[in-house]
Amino acid sequence: MKKKMLLLNTTVLLGLGGVLSTPAYASTIQDMESQKSQIQNQRQDVQSNIKAASDELTRLQAEQDQMKAQLERLTIAEEENNKKAQKTEADIKETSKQVEELEKEIKLLQEKLEKRNDILKDRARSLQESGGNVEYLQVLLGSSSFSDFVDRALAVSTIVDADRGILKETKNMQDELKTKQADVKSKLASLEDMKAELDEMTVQLAAQKKQKDALAKELKDKEAKNKELKASLQAKDSSLANEQSTLEQNIKDQKAAEEEARKAAEQAAKEAAEQAQKATAEKADSSSAKAEAPKASSNDVAPTSAPAPKASNVVTVGNRWIGNSAYVFGGGRSQSDINHGLFDCSSFVHWAYSQVGVNLGPLGSVSTETLKHAGTQVSSSQMQPGDLVFFDTYKKDGHVGIYVGGGKFIGAQSSTGVAIANMSSGYWKQKFNGRVVRI
């Protein structure tokens, strides 16, 4: 039992890491129950902190959801901007192609007009050589440019019908050239606008990408901290739960051991009663002729009689509890405790003397203080078996036992239950304060 209690205390103390302020030696169910209560209180505090942390995690999760939504929006915007940029690039290429084709058409038209100009000049020279209208020739040949030539030719009312058709066709081609020139300028202006828009989108995309990367890093950092916090709290709660479970199992084992001790004690008491009954019958048969014997022993049951006739009984009556009992502070003051072998030092002394017919006062209020005034104090040099001996443990006269002789005493010890201990050396020699009381 002592080995089991030492193992329990080592486990609990290592698990709590010095947090709990319980005694370092849990030798009784009461001690273990006290430790269990303190662990439960600590778990309540930890679980309260877990709840607070969970609330914080919920708030952070909501913030993360908002960040994720923002990241999704930025991703969508990035995709749409990329699509628009790609379309703009395609439009630029298409427009550039159209410009090239238009420039080719303009060049062809200009070549065609130059040919028309040569034809009209040839006609004018032929008309002059054949004696044609000089005024008409002067008008045509006096033009400063092709455009001026066309305008002058159309204005002359004497032009021949054949020439009028050529001139009209030439005029239409000239108008077409002007229209296509205007289209080219419009196309070029549109191209420049699209190029400027593309450059602006490139800048915006870079800024959005930078913002997205910053938000992603912030999200990752917060998630890591949340996971670390959650893991830490869960580990702490799990550790306390394991400590509590271990303590509960040891309490269960202790109770089972005490139940076995109780059964063994009942069996021993039964056997002792049978032996006592047998001895009484034998004594009655052998001493029927001695009528004066009862009178001679009648004084032995008086509380104030000398301890010599009862000493051998009071120092051995408690042997039945050795190895079958446990120390419980405040225990031994009810019949249930006694039946289960649960004593503290003063209740055990009270019980032992009651077994030999000596009443040491009310059981419910017995203590080391009442016992040290229950008889006569004698010198420690005059100790006899059956005397009460006192020790200074957690307080002055904090422990009491029954002297059995040979420098030893029997008592309910906190570490072993009822046991015989040596007071001539070691721990109990240091704690013995010299107080001896003879009942």
Side-chain angles (χ1 to χ4, degrees), residues 27-28 254 258 324-328 340-344 416-418:
S27 60
T28 68
Q254 176 80 334
E258 291 176 357
N324 296 310
S325 59
Y327 181 93
V328 176
H340 288 80
L342 306 179
F343 298 98
D344 63 9
T416 60
V418 176

Side-chain angles (χ1 to χ4, degrees), residues 281-295:
E282 291 176 352
K283 183 177 181 181
D285 293 340
S286 62
S287 61
S288 58
K290 299 178 181 180
E292 298 299 325
K295 292 181 180 180

Side-chain angles (χ1 to χ4, degrees), residues 75-364:
T75 300
I76 292 173
E78 185 178 22
E79 291 174 353
E80 292 299 321
N81 286 340
N82 286 333
K83 290 178 182 179
K84 189 172 183 180
Q86 293 172 1
K87 185 177 184 304
T88 302
E89 288 284 3
D91 290 343
I92 290 174
K93 291 180 180 180
E94 181 64 24
T95 302
S96 298
K97 184 177 180 180
Q98 291 176 0
V99 169
E100 291 176 0
E101 292 177 353
L102 183 57
E103 288 176 347
K104 290 179 181 180
E105 290 180 7
I106 292 173
K107 184 177 181 180
L108 291 174
L109 182 58
Q110 287 175 340
E111 291 176 354
K112 191 174 183 179
L113 288 176
E114 289 295 334
K115 290 180 180 180
R116 294 295 184 187
N117 187 26
D118 292 340
I119 292 173
L120 290 175
K121 286 182 178 181
D122 289 342
R123 283 181 179 277
R125 291 188 184 96
S126 297
L127 181 61
Q128 182 180 13
E129 292 173 358
S130 62
N133 191 319
V134 176
E135 183 179 357
Y136 170 69
L137 292 174
Q138 290 177 347
V139 170
L140 294 178
L141 297 176
S143 61
S144 61
S145 65
F146 176 73
S147 179
D148 184 33
F149 171 80
V150 173
D151 291 338
R152 285 170 178 259
L154 291 176
V156 178
S157 59
T158 59
I159 191 169
V160 295
D161 291 339
D163 292 337
R164 183 179 296 277
I166 294 174
L167 291 173
K168 186 174 182 179
E169 182 182 357
T170 302
K171 176 63 175 175
N172 291 337
M173 291 175 68
Q174 185 181 37
D175 292 340
E176 183 181 354
L177 176 61
K178 291 181 179 180
T179 299
K180 288 190 176 183
Q181 285 176 335
D183 289 341
V184 170
K185 292 180 180 180
S186 177
K187 291 281 186 179
L188 290 174
S190 177
L191 182 62
E192 291 174 356
D193 290 342
M194 283 190 291
K195 184 63 170 62
E197 183 177 356
L198 179 60
D199 292 341
E200 179 63 24
M201 281 193 295
T202 301
V203 174
Q204 291 178 359
L205 285 172
Q208 289 174 351
K209 185 64 169 61
K210 184 177 181 180
Q211 182 181 9
K212 186 176 92 168
D213 291 342
L215 287 174
K217 185 179 183 303
E218 182 179 353
L219 174 61
K220 185 176 180 180
D221 292 343
K222 286 190 175 183
E223 285 179 342
K225 291 180 180 178
N226 290 346
K227 289 179 181 179
E228 183 179 354
L229 173 60
K230 183 177 180 181
S232 175
L233 291 172
Q234 288 177 336
K236 188 171 184 179
D237 185 55
S238 177
S239 176
L240 288 174
N242 289 337
E243 291 168 13
Q244 182 177 338
S245 177
T246 299
L247 200 53
E248 288 173 348
Q249 182 60 45
N250 279 276
I251 291 173
K252 181 179 178 181
D253 293 344
Q254 176 80 334
K255 288 182 177 179
E258 291 176 357
E259 177 64 17
E260 291 179 2
R262 180 191 67 80
K263 291 179 180 179
E266 289 178 349
Q267 181 63 29
K270 181 178 178 181
E271 292 174 357
E274 291 174 351
Q275 292 177 357
Q277 184 177 5
K278 182 178 179 180
T280 300
E282 291 176 352
K283 183 177 181 181
D285 293 340
S286 62
S287 61
S288 58
K290 299 178 181 180
E292 298 299 325
K295 292 181 180 180
S297 61
S298 61
N299 292 333
D300 293 347
V301 298
T304 57
S305 61
K310 336 185 245 310
S312 60
N313 292 334
V314 77
V315 299
T316 59
V317 71
N319 289 351
R320 57 177 286 196
W321 295 117
I322 296 175
N324 296 310
S325 59
Y327 181 93
V328 176
F329 187 85
R333 286 163 179 77
S334 68
Q335 192 58 47
S336 176
D337 281 357
I338 294 172
N339 291 340
H340 288 80
L342 306 179
F343 298 98
D344 63 9
C345 61
S346 55
S347 66
F348 171 75
V349 169
H350 187 283
W351 172 85
Y353 269 93
S354 71
Q355 299 304 297
V356 295
V358 178
N359 185 355
L360 296 181
L363 175 61

